[in-house]
Amino acid sequence: MASLVEQNGYYYAQFYESSRSPRRKKVPLKTKKKRPARRLLGRMEDRYATGEYDPWTDGRQHELFGWEPEPCRNLSTLGAAREAFLEDRSHLRPETIRTYEEVLRLFVGFHGKSASVRSLKASDIEAWISSTDDLADATKRKYVKHVGYLVRYLVEEGWMEEDITKEVDLPKAVEQPPRALTEKHQRKLIQAIQAHHQSGARDGRCNTYPELLLLVRLNPLMGLRANELIHLRWKDRASESGMTVDLEAKTAHITNTAEFTTKPGRGRTLPLPDRAVRLLEQASEHRLEGCPYVYHTGGEKLKYSALSHAFCRFRKAASLPDWVQIHSTRHAYATRLARAGTPINVISRFMGHSSTAVTEQYMHASPKQGHRHVNDAFGS
């Protein structure tokens, strides 16, 4: 008759009836706790069965189910709406929260905290996007996407009528294949890092060069995301689990931990090529006593910002293009697999993609393999 649905940390009662429109009707229970949500669902089902309640027309009737509504929040202004939205999304990943905070800070800053949300139009979002001429098209689409989350939140809360971001005129996305770190790029980066070390420079701005050197050599053989890199640990005990490298089994386990959640929300196990194992064995021989992290700074977990700044510095020293980033080492891994003719579902699993649709962007890298497959199927 009805089911309990969790979405964005909150619970909803979902009713289904094939003869109604829409067939499924979700009613917000306004709680993050499962036990009270189940009690509320039971009361709703009882009233629904006796004809006292119709979720398609009645919505939430607090007095009917025996609980008091939360105080009605005033979300009439952009400032208040932004604060309420961020509070309701506080359970999300810290990286996601930071993106929301930055984009909405710019949006609210442009229009003012006291601006009325009911008067917002698509043209207001376009004016905000157009106010900065040097924004890349991809950044414009990203900004509007994240403002759209706020707009849809206000629609759900009853403060706006519709999602106005659907009407925003944006440049169309042009599909670009991922740019991978090439072997030539890799050699130049390694040379730049080694030259810095040999010169004996100790300016305090780049104390992560050993970790960066290992990353440039190793990640094209593992394809880890940035946050996976900095949380990666050595597997010292059989009972230890989580984000670990197991040299004996020649595998890396990328899983959720108390301090880290993988991007797709589920873990994966990577088989390590022999070259990666050798690099890790060498790194393990020189690890600091008591330090559990593969990449670290002074025995402490490495900060991504320090790693990113160091990478940027050496990229410039190696005269490499700006698009070469740490993430390019991850692209190098998938591109190499694709060129070797690895099945797309295998690449998707190793990369930790949410679906093979994400992995398809790498298949451009293997035209020769594609020719081999069609010739095998249709004859040469």
Side-chain angles (χ1 to χ4, degrees):
M1 183 186 298
S3 58
L4 201 61
V5 177
E6 184 183 9
Q7 184 176 340
N8 295 328
Y10 285 91
Y11 284 98
Y12 295 75
Q14 181 170 269
F15 289 80
Y16 176 82
E17 196 170 322
S18 59
S19 61
R20 305 293 292 270
S21 180
R23 294 181 180 181
R24 289 181 173 82
K25 177 65 177 180
K26 282 199 302 187
V27 181
L29 300 179
K30 295 294 183 179
T31 180
K32 295 183 177 181
K33 299 180 180 179
K34 194 170 187 177
R35 184 171 295 179
R38 286 191 179 280
R39 289 200 300 267
L40 295 174
L41 177 65
R43 295 172 189 171
M44 297 174 80
E45 288 182 310
D46 291 343
R47 303 302 195 280
Y48 181 60
T50 59
E52 298 177 70
Y53 170 67
D54 184 351
W56 278 266
T57 58
D58 297 337
R60 292 179 70 234
Q61 293 187 3
H62 308 285
E63 67 280 3
L64 187 63
F65 309 126
W67 90 97
E68 294 298 323
E70 295 181 354
C72 182
R73 291 180 293 184
N74 182 356
L75 308 181
S76 60
T77 64
L78 271 181
R82 174 185 178 274
E83 295 304 316
F85 172 80
L86 292 175
E87 180 182 349
D88 283 1
R89 298 298 186 271
S90 60
H91 62 283
L92 298 177
R93 290 162 51 90
E95 296 81 3
T96 304
I97 295 298
R98 284 196 291 270
T99 302
Y100 282 144
E101 289 175 340
E102 176 61 17
V103 173
L104 296 181
R105 179 186 66 81
L106 296 172
F107 181 64
V108 174
F110 179 80
H111 289 290
K113 293 182 178 180
S114 60
S116 170
V117 300
R118 296 190 187 277
S119 62
L120 278 178
K121 302 182 292 295
S123 58
D124 296 321
I125 300 177
E126 292 173 354
W128 167 59
I129 290 296
S130 301
S131 65
T132 307
D133 296 331
D134 58 351
L135 281 183
D137 290 348
T139 304
K140 293 179 181 179
R141 290 190 291 271
K142 171 187 172 182
Y143 280 12
V144 173
K145 173 185 174 181
H146 283 81
V147 169
Y149 290 123
L150 173 64
V151 170
R152 287 186 289 278
Y153 169 76
L154 291 170
V155 171
E156 292 176 2
E157 294 292 325
W159 288 92
M160 294 185 72
E161 294 295 326
E162 59 183 351
D163 183 2
I164 58 175
T165 61
K166 293 181 178 179
E167 304 171 11
V168 174
D169 185 20
L170 284 171
K172 299 297 182 183
V174 178
E175 186 175 349
Q176 295 285 350
R179 291 180 169 181
L181 186 79
T182 66
E183 292 183 2
K184 182 178 180 180
H185 294 150
Q186 186 183 42
R187 286 194 301 271
K188 287 188 173 182
L189 274 173
I190 290 173
Q191 290 169 0
I193 297 170
Q194 291 175 332
H196 171 82
H197 176 47
Q198 292 170 359
S199 68
R202 293 293 184 269
D203 56 15
R205 290 186 298 164
C206 186
N207 58 0
T208 60
Y209 75 85
E211 287 71 29
L212 185 60
L213 189 60
L214 177 62
L215 184 153
V216 172
R217 287 171 167 162
L218 183 59
N219 207 43
L221 305 174
M222 295 181 67
L224 301 186
R225 297 182 177 92
N227 271 336
E228 294 170 348
L229 287 166
I230 63 177
H231 285 89
L232 193 63
R233 296 169 177 255
W234 300 104
K235 184 178 178 68
D236 293 325
R237 299 179 299 275
S239 60
E240 191 169 349
S241 61
M243 294 282 300
T244 56
V245 166
D246 187 340
L247 291 178
E248 184 177 346
K250 297 184 178 181
T251 57
H253 304 282
I254 314 302
T255 59
N256 297 328
T257 66
E259 62 174 347
F260 174 76
T261 302
T262 62
K263 186 174 181 180
R266 62 178 182 273
R268 66 191 189 276
T269 298
L270 287 176
L272 299 175
D274 291 340
R275 285 176 57 196
V277 173
R278 289 195 295 271
L279 286 169
L280 286 165
E281 286 175 342
Q282 293 170 7
S284 180
E285 291 174 359
H286 298 90
R287 58 183 291 200
L288 292 180
E289 184 178 354
C291 176
Y293 296 104
V294 175
Y295 300 96
H296 65 90
T297 175
E300 300 295 329
K301 184 173 70 173
L302 188 64
K303 291 185 178 180
Y304 176 72
S305 59
L307 191 64
S308 179
H309 291 158
F311 188 96
C312 180
R313 178 181 180 182
F314 287 119
R315 182 196 67 210
K316 292 178 179 177
S319 301
L320 297 180
D322 290 346
W323 60 259
V324 175
Q325 304 288 340
I326 290 179
H327 205 66
S328 303
T329 63
R330 172 171 160 85
H331 291 322
Y333 175 76
T335 301
R336 186 73 175 267
L337 288 173
R339 285 176 176 165
T342 309
I344 187 172
N345 61 310
V346 175
I347 300 176
S348 182
R349 185 168 69 251
F350 289 173
M351 291 288 285
H353 287 156
S354 55
S355 71
T356 54
V358 181
T359 317
E360 287 177 357
Q361 60 184 327
Y362 295 101
M363 303 318 289
H364 76 285
S366 55
K368 293 182 180 179
Q369 293 294 338
H371 290 144
R372 189 197 73 187
H373 293 314
V374 295
N375 286 332
D376 287 347
F378 302 106
S380 55

